[in-house]
Amino acid sequence: MANTGIGAAVARKEDGRFLHGRGQFVGDIKLAGMLDAAFVRSPVAHGRIVSIDVPEQFHEAVFTAKDLTGLKTIRANSGLKGFKSSEQPPLASNKVRLVGELLAVCVGGNRALAEDVVDEVFANIEELEPVTDMLSARAPDVPLVHEEWGDNVFLETNVDTGVEAALASAPVKISRRLRMSRQCMAPLEGRGVVAEWNHRTQQLVVHTATQIPHIVRTGLAECLGLDESAVRVTAPDVGGGFGYKAILLPEELVVCWLAIHLHRPVRWLEDRREALTASANAREHYYDITLCADEEGKFLALDAKVTVDAGAYSSYPFTACLEATQVASILPGPYNFPAYRCQTWSVATNKCPILPYRGVARAGVCYALESMVDLVARKINKEPHDVRLENLITPEQMPFDNIVNKHFDSGDYPECLKRAAAAIDVEGVRKRQVLGEPDGRLVGLGMGIFNEQAAHGTAVYSAWGIPMIPGYEQAFVRFTPDGGLEVRVGIQCHGQGSETTLAQVAHEILGLDIESIKIVHGDTELSPYSTGTWGSRVMVMSGGAVATACEKLCERIQLIGAHLLQAELEDTQVEDGYVKAPSGQISLIDVARTWYHRPQDLPADVDRQGLEVTAGYKLRRDDGTFSYAAHAAVLAVDPHFGTVEIIKYVVVEDGGVLINPMIVDGQILGGAAQGIGTALYEEMPFDENGQPLFSTLADYVLPGATEVPNIHIEHMETPSPYSLFGQKGIGEGGAIGSVAAVTNAVNDALCRVGAEVCETPMTPRRILTAIQDAKSQRESVGT
Amino acid sequence: MEYKAPSSIDEAVMLLAQANGKAHVLAGGTDLLVQIRAGFTKPTLVVDVKNILELRTISVADDGVCIGAAVTGAELGEHDAVKAAWPGLVEATELIGSTQIQGRASLGGNLCNASPAADTVPALVAASAICLIAGPNGQREAPVEQIVTGPGQTSLKNSEFVVQFQLPKKLPRSADAYLRFIPRTEMDIAVVGAGVNLTLDKKGICQQARVALGAVAPTVLLVEAGAKALIGSTLDDAALDKLRAAASAACNPIDDKRGTVEFRVDVAGVLAKRAVLIAKQRAEMN
Ligand SMILES: Cc1cc2nc3c(=O)[nH]c(=O)nc-3n(C[C@H](O)[C@H](O)[C@H](O)COP(=O)(O)OP(=O)(O)OC[C@H]3O[C@@H](n4cnc5c(N)ncnc54)[C@H](O)[C@@H]3O)c2cc1C
């Protein structure tokens, strides 16, 4: 039998239904008598609601804040000192704080009818001056998003190990202002929710496209004033999440309230316009950053002031401060810094709340830090990767506690970088650059190396002030009478292939055919409580829990087997689907049949716990695992169009022990595509009135198949000393290193004409402007 | 909404003339069906012209090529003679959409949809294409550049439609080319498009030239000053710089997030220049 356990590139069990078009998404759920909901959304970014006028004939079909009795506001409070709380009402009642904020909900027999009603509702709003720029938002005398705060800052943080000396005396000191633009997450499937009240079970049943069914259940119960047991949340097939589906939505609350009060199932399916303009916003960082080094490029200090535009509200459960607080704790990257200072501001503006997006904070951090490393290298005339090598933590130093006490678990960062440099052929590219291109394009080479803390636990999240802190992850396993295995987990699989990888883990322990192992997830009624799928945690945490539960189950199976074989327990072992003893063997199926259907064959004092186990798992350390990778890109910039073509792309990744290398590759490829989007294409701009300017995928440019190059992936497999099999979380890494590799390559190309772009995405317009500016500067210097 | 699929030009003209309410010609439907579904237009009658032979035929004769208005992009792309004679027009056509769209999209639809960014129109204008138009008063001819009068608007009278495009006889040492600029490399709408058609003499001196720009004004622009810059030159750097300046000067684009005015103006010049270089290379080879 081919290996289907840990390390095997098993084809994904879940793909059959997707490839046949038989996935079951929220949009596929049709319930008798179901109503569709559509929302009246605020057309202005900041204003006071004077009235919401509903024509008489539509009163039954329209609900505003005052109708939603008993519904509480969404609050996601950071535990950090000084955090200012925001209250997000499911439907705005007094003020509106962003374009697209919900004002009223309309219901109809289908979406079109509901939208017709939306058109009849008139919101009379007295406009207030909006706050749209995170930097000026902190100036005195600006309008306030939340008046009671007195300013527009959710939270300010400070880390300072003392950098003044280095700043005063460092031989090399480079400063920049770098911006990472606001982006939108664009999973294929938007958000969607269907809610109904089940009279038999006295439960609100909510089908929602979420990564975190249990957390949504807690949030819904809290805001609706229901017992948690009266809420069941199921996440059916979910078409991508990336963080956008790791929040509690006001729309979810409203739809649930309607279902309860109208006694009918109610559905809301987000359209792309709603996602882009009113919901799926992410990133938007501003770095005022200084890197100090000696003449050899050895880093002496890193000093940064970082502002994050958190938008109008603190989203549940990750809060408005997840980005900025993480930035402060990870900005030093995989390098050794003797001195570090970082001040952060999570600023409130009249824009969409920013939500966690794959590579939360880290994509921005890696972009900012790696840009600075390249600048230092350029200044001292060294190959950037040599400067990196000079400063990377070495394998001899592992495990390593860095300047902000991050505990890097394992790995050989320099080797990873060297392999990437070899694979991308740094010398070859440098030669090519000297020769120049026949078509006049400028070739650039860029790299980005990072480490990705994943599956981080309780202590880390409590230090970030997140109200929903992961503790132990649990799994329930049941050996069924026919010898199959049911595995129930509280995480949610929305593309990661966990239905396959978790089965591989169970197979590894029990030796059962993975076809007979079924992973059940995405249903609060069926699975142990879990904070869900995010933070690259599933393979480590849920994988650990599944293994632990299977081990316990294995012991019980073995005990029964030993009895049936009339052997001493110590003389038996479970292997290849059998309990084996010197006297003979018995198949696991026979063990199962005996337990369930022939209990008379078992001794009277048999262990009564049976063949069902719930077991928990926690990583040996709360710091989690640190996977890492180096991305390297070669690209060509057209100096007349400002367009970029990626010519070659390499990733060297260390994800520890790979459970399924094919699935890991898929994660890296998808993430890299997103990072290429961040670097070159994706941006959600707002005008000075706070109007989001892009509302379709024609304007909001995502990279397509032709923009994403062939990506060459190499693996290193340094086991994490802290996880069960040595595996490390890698879910987000692809989206982290890619931004830096591509942006550094663009600037490497542009430095040949003295130009530099300090902002993502590096669009044709920005690149041309930079070239133009460099030219004017040269000319003005010349005259 | 009524749907008719006549098999002759006369029948189609009659149906359109007799329609009460809004009537639309349907070719590939890759614009029209999208617009109907989005509620932008609510026709009472749709006349599918895909069953009319004249609109579905490509014919090559001594005096030029005729392309039926409803011939699909895929059909055109596989037609060796047209490809050899008008590579620029064919490449413009093949830029439309994706493989699926190519199986449907037509030149007639691309023109009559009257989008300023339509890809084939600058190529058709550069090629001096003439439209054969059918209507209640019989058939008439008009140069392509006279059809579109503004975004979404054409000079076609009620119940008129385009039957075919007539391309002139191709002279020796002449060739066309089309380039567009989009933020991505596929599946996008032109931020700027440039079509060029050139004739050189034996010494490589440009005898005739037409330069057309798309997406930089409400309608496709025929840039006469650009052509002037080229004619009489060997298409040397000086001539190309003049062309670039003329192309940029002709632009009157909108300022939107897909491209600022400055950006479009700048790119239009570079694009026109590059299209000329491609056409030149082709012309030298035939
Ligand atoms: C996914 C996608 C991608 C696209 N990409 C591009 C692109 O890259 N570049 C581009 O230019 N366009 C693009 N388009 C637009 C469209 O495909 C083209 O404009 C196409 O050429 C339209 O041709 P059609 O035959 O489908 O027109 P239809 O939709 O059938 O008709 C379009 C309009 O023209 C009228 N019409 C059609 N034929 C005639 C006729 N013979 N006489 C008079 N009126 C007529 C119709 O009444 C209608 O108003 C894209 C569309 C889609 C859906």
Side-chain angles (χ1 to χ4, degrees):
Chain A
M1 199 170 74
N3 175 28
T4 55
I6 287 172
V10 179
R12 302 195 338 155
K13 279 160 69 78
E14 49 266 71
D15 280 350
R17 67 179 188 274
F18 294 126
L19 293 173
H20 288 100
R22 293 182 191 131
Q24 265 255 333
F25 299 87
V26 170
D28 295 312
I29 296 171
K30 293 187 177 64
L31 302 176
M34 184 168 72
L35 293 169
D36 267 296
F39 289 93
V40 180
R41 291 175 181 274
S42 173
V44 301
H46 198 191
R48 223 168 284 290
I49 300 172
V50 179
S51 64
I52 297 174
D53 307 334
V54 182
E56 192 63 43
Q57 69 269 34
F58 296 119
H59 273 181
E60 303 267 285
V62 182
F63 301 83
T64 62
K66 64 180 190 314
D67 300 312
L68 302 190
T69 47
L71 194 53
K72 295 198 192 81
T73 56
I74 300 175
R75 270 169 188 267
N77 288 347
S78 167
L80 296 180
K81 230 176 83 201
F83 172 80
K84 299 192 199 82
S85 176
S86 71
E87 284 194 40
Q88 182 176 16
L91 295 180
S93 55
N94 174 21
K95 257 181 89 166
V96 289
R97 294 187 178 86
L98 61 126
V99 171
E101 186 162 2
L102 307 181
L103 292 172
V105 60
C106 305
V107 291
N110 59 42
R111 172 72 179 235
L113 293 172
E115 284 187 7
D116 287 347
V117 181
V118 167
D119 289 342
E120 303 297 328
V121 178
F122 176 74
N124 187 354
I125 298 174
E126 179 194 316
E127 278 194 60
L128 300 170
E129 192 187 330
V131 185
T132 58
D133 172 56
M134 60 170 147
L135 299 182
S136 52
R138 281 179 40 227
D141 303 326
V142 289
L144 297 178
V145 179
H146 300 277
E147 277 92 358
E148 61 283 9
W149 291 4
D151 63 16
N152 285 318
V153 182
F154 276 107
L155 182 70
E156 182 178 335
T157 68
N158 268 299
V159 189
D160 189 358
T161 70
V163 291
E164 291 301 344
L167 285 175
S169 65
V172 179
K173 199 172 107 183
I174 308 265
S175 298
R176 280 295 182 281
R177 292 181 173 155
L178 304 170
R179 214 179 242 279
M180 173 167 276
S181 288
R182 187 169 272 252
Q183 270 186 263
C184 280
M185 292 172 270
L188 277 179
E189 180 207 27
R191 291 298 308 252
V193 52
V194 176
E196 65 172 328
W197 183 261
N198 184 316
H199 287 281
R200 181 179 63 80
T201 60
Q202 288 293 297
Q203 262 183 332
L204 175 71
V205 181
V206 186
H207 310 280
T208 186
T210 184
Q211 306 169 221
I212 51 168
H214 291 275
I215 298 293
V216 167
R217 180 200 199 197
T218 299
L220 288 174
E222 237 171 69
C223 293
L224 289 159
L226 294 171
D227 293 341
E228 285 218 18
S229 63
V231 182
R232 174 181 187 176
V233 174
T234 82
D237 282 329
V238 171
F242 311 119
Y244 181 32
K245 295 172 182 170
I247 48 163
L248 175 68
L249 288 176
E251 287 90 343
E252 272 168 335
L253 280 172
V254 172
V255 164
C256 289
W257 187 94
L258 288 174
I260 294 170
H261 289 83
L262 299 180
H263 305 289
R264 287 180 65 174
V266 180
R267 167 171 85 167
W268 168 70
L269 294 179
E270 179 183 65
D271 63 24
R272 190 60 67 177
R273 186 188 163 87
E274 291 179 292
L276 289 174
T277 59
S279 261
N281 284 213
R283 313 244 200 259
E284 199 162 17
H285 297 188
Y286 177 84
Y287 296 82
D288 189 343
I289 183 169
T290 300
L291 177 56
C292 300
D294 68 16
E295 291 94 342
E296 291 306 306
K298 189 109 197 142
F299 298 157
L300 300 175
L302 180 63
D303 184 22
K305 292 186 167 68
V306 184
T307 313
V308 172
D309 184 337
Y313 295 108
S314 181
S315 288
Y316 184 95
F318 287 102
T319 81
C321 308
L322 179 67
E323 294 269 332
T325 45
Q326 270 205 51
V327 166
S329 75
I330 59 177
L331 192 56
Y335 301 112
N336 198 355
F337 275 102
Y340 174 57
R341 178 167 70 184
C342 183
Q343 222 175 338
T344 77
W345 293 270
S346 303
V347 172
T349 60
N350 290 112
K351 296 196 249 181
C352 271
I354 54 158
L355 306 174
Y357 178 23
R358 191 179 203 175
V360 175
R362 291 161 284 187
V365 158
C366 181
Y367 157 66
L369 180 62
E370 292 292 78
S371 299
M372 299 307 291
V373 175
D374 269 32
L375 286 165
V376 164
R378 223 164 274 147
K379 178 90 180 177
I380 61 173
N381 239 329
K382 261 191 156 183
E383 195 51 75
H385 79 265
D386 288 332
V387 173
R388 293 193 167 91
L389 286 175
E390 187 79 32
N391 294 285
L392 284 171
I393 309 299
T394 63
E396 297 74 36
Q397 292 171 289
M398 293 289 180
F400 180 81
D401 292 310
N402 85 346
I403 185 135
V404 284
N405 286 318
K406 286 267 166 206
H407 182 81
F408 301 166
D409 60 351
S410 63
D412 188 341
Y413 300 173
E415 173 64 15
C416 176
L417 189 75
K418 284 182 200 155
R419 282 178 62 171
I424 202 80
D425 184 16
V426 173
E427 280 172 33
V429 180
R430 295 301 178 215
K431 282 192 196 128
R432 182 172 172 176
Q433 286 175 317
V434 172
L435 290 174
E437 299 296 298
D439 59 8
R441 291 193 298 175
L442 304 167
V443 165
L445 163 70
M447 288 198 186
I449 186 166
F450 65 94
N451 60 3
E452 176 191 5
Q453 188 176 20
H456 16 1
T458 312
V460 178
Y461 273 87
S462 66
W464 283 336
I466 306 303
M468 168 223 67
I469 294 166
Y472 300 85
E473 189 69 23
Q474 276 124 31
F476 164 94
V477 293
R478 171 190 286 154
F479 203 36
T480 57
D482 59 355
L485 188 73
E486 244 176 68
V487 179
R488 300 182 177 190
V489 284
I491 56 92
Q492 205 285 337
C493 170
H494 45 280
Q496 295 84 351
S498 323
E499 290 178 28
T500 307
T501 48
L502 292 177
Q504 287 180 260
V505 168
H507 167 85
E508 185 75 20
I509 307 294
L510 290 167
L512 294 169
D513 180 358
I514 78 160
E515 288 310 316
S516 66
I517 301 172
K518 187 169 174 54
I519 306 296
V520 180
H521 64 91
D523 189 336
T524 56
E525 205 78 345
L526 298 180
S527 66
Y529 199 95
S530 164
T531 53
T533 299
W534 48 273
S536 304
R537 63 191 296 278
V538 168
M539 212 52 251
V540 175
M541 305 294 277
S542 195
V546 169
T548 308
C550 286
E551 275 162 4
K552 294 228 160 81
L553 177 65
C554 193
E555 288 166 16
R556 296 194 194 163
I557 290 171
Q558 200 174 345
L559 196 64
I560 297 168
H563 171 78
L564 294 173
L565 292 166
Q566 301 287 305
E568 292 299 321
L569 183 62
E570 308 81 71
D571 296 337
T572 61
Q573 61 198 52
V574 177
E575 216 177 59
D576 305 330
Y578 288 88
V579 181
K580 295 180 178 171
S583 54
Q585 60 182 29
I586 179 170
S587 75
L588 298 190
I589 297 179
D590 281 337
V591 172
R593 287 211 186 106
T594 308
W595 169 262
Y596 289 105
H597 299 318
R598 294 196 304 270
Q600 68 275 24
D601 294 350
L602 296 170
D605 63 346
V606 69
D607 180 355
R608 283 161 179 70
Q609 292 187 88
L611 299 180
E612 297 185 351
V613 179
T614 300
Y617 172 77
K618 191 169 178 176
L619 211 61
R620 274 174 221 126
R621 282 187 69 111
D622 267 358
D623 311 86
T625 61
F626 283 80
S627 58
Y628 56 95
H631 287 231
V634 178
L635 48 75
V637 177
D638 184 322
H640 299 293
F641 285 167
T643 45
V644 172
E645 184 198 355
I646 300 176
I647 298 169
K648 192 170 175 186
Y649 199 104
V650 169
V651 182
V652 181
E653 164 106 19
D654 188 341
V657 171
L658 304 182
I659 307 292
N660 182 327
M662 178 196 71
I663 286 178
V664 170
D665 284 357
Q667 291 288 315
I668 295 172
L669 295 175
Q674 286 175 311
I676 289 168
T678 302
L680 297 177
Y681 304 104
E682 297 182 44
E683 177 176 18
M684 174 50 81
F686 286 70
D687 71 9
E688 66 283 2
N689 299 316
Q691 292 291 337
L693 295 179
F694 292 165
S695 60
T696 73
L697 293 180
D699 305 316
Y700 186 82
V701 181
L702 289 164
T706 48
E707 280 73 45
V708 180
N710 287 329
I711 293 175
H712 169 78
I713 301 174
E714 292 181 22
H715 293 289
M716 294 167 59
E717 288 197 53
T718 316
S720 169
Y722 305 130
S723 66
L724 207 54
F725 302 105
Q727 76 271 40
K728 300 173 180 175
I730 51 90
E732 298 165 83
I736 299 172
S738 41
V739 186
V742 173
T743 53
N744 273 342
V746 169
N747 279 328
D748 181 54
L750 292 183
C751 80
R752 267 137 253 285
V753 292
E756 182 184 336
V757 180
C758 294
E759 189 173 2
T760 69
M762 299 191 172
T763 57
R765 183 172 55 83
R766 291 199 173 110
I767 289 174
L768 280 194
T769 306
I771 293 174
Q772 208 61 49
D773 289 350
K775 205 167 143 196
S776 330
Q777 208 165 21
R778 273 199 306 277
E779 280 159 7
S780 73
V781 170
T783 53
Chain B
M1 188 180 83
E2 223 184 333
Y3 169 85
K4 296 276 191 215
S7 53
S8 74
I9 292 177
D10 289 347
E11 210 184 324
V13 169
M14 203 176 67
L15 283 166
L16 289 165
Q18 288 171 355
N20 43 34
K22 191 158 186 169
H24 261 296
V25 170
L26 173 76
T30 60
D31 280 318
L32 186 60
L33 296 186
V34 178
Q35 288 156 10
I36 291 175
R37 291 199 63 160
F40 294 141
T41 179
K42 294 199 171 102
T44 51
L45 172 69
V46 166
V47 178
D48 187 339
V49 291
K50 288 196 291 294
N51 289 345
I52 305 172
L53 193 63
E54 290 88 333
L55 279 93
R56 292 302 302 276
T57 322
I58 301 174
S59 56
V60 182
D62 282 348
D63 59 347
V65 176
C66 275
I67 302 169
V71 165
T72 67
E75 287 165 339
L76 202 59
E78 288 183 4
H79 198 286
D80 290 337
V82 179
K83 249 167 49 183
W86 299 100
L89 175 60
V90 174
E91 70 201 357
T93 313
E94 291 193 312
L95 280 174
I96 296 177
S98 54
T99 303
Q100 294 92 322
I101 299 292
Q102 282 289 307
R104 294 258 139 193
S106 67
L107 293 184
N110 198 228
L111 175 69
C112 299
N113 185 57
S115 156
D119 277 307
T120 67
V121 182
L124 285 166
V125 170
S128 310
I130 305 288
C131 298
L132 180 67
I133 297 161
N137 303 325
Q139 300 196 344
R140 67 181 177 97
E141 291 182 351
V144 165
E145 55 269 32
Q146 286 176 10
I147 303 297
V148 179
T149 54
Q153 274 158 6
T154 69
S155 59
L156 296 177
K157 309 256 163 23
N158 274 345
S159 62
E160 277 189 331
F161 60 91
V162 179
V163 175
Q164 60 189 25
F165 296 91
Q166 299 164 348
L167 302 178
K169 181 180 165 63
K170 211 182 73 94
L171 302 171
R173 291 176 71 79
S174 60
D176 69 339
Y178 176 78
L179 282 178
R180 74 170 176 187
F181 180 85
I182 55 174
R184 274 178 292 203
T185 48
E186 286 283 345
M187 286 298 286
D188 213 328
I189 301 159
V191 174
V192 183
V196 168
N197 186 23
L198 300 174
T199 306
L200 310 179
D201 70 7
K202 289 210 183 69
K203 291 194 216 109
I205 293 172
C206 180
Q207 301 296 305
Q208 291 180 33
R210 276 168 77 88
V211 178
L213 294 175
V216 290
T219 63
V220 167
L221 296 176
L222 180 63
V223 188
E224 314 249 7
K228 240 186 229 148
L230 301 175
I231 294 170
S233 81
T234 55
L235 306 177
D236 51 11
D237 285 346
L240 290 174
D241 285 346
K242 265 196 235 159
L243 159 83
R244 178 176 167 175
S248 289
C251 297
N252 173 24
I254 52 167
D255 196 2
D256 71 3
K257 283 288 146 188
R258 295 176 51 76
T260 57
V261 169
E262 299 79 27
F263 182 75
R264 281 189 151 108
V265 166
D266 203 27
V267 166
V270 179
L271 206 63
K273 178 172 153 181
R274 289 191 186 175
V276 167
L277 288 172
I278 296 170
K280 172 177 180 247
Q281 207 176 24
R282 287 177 180 160
E284 284 165 352
M285 295 199 309
N286 57 35

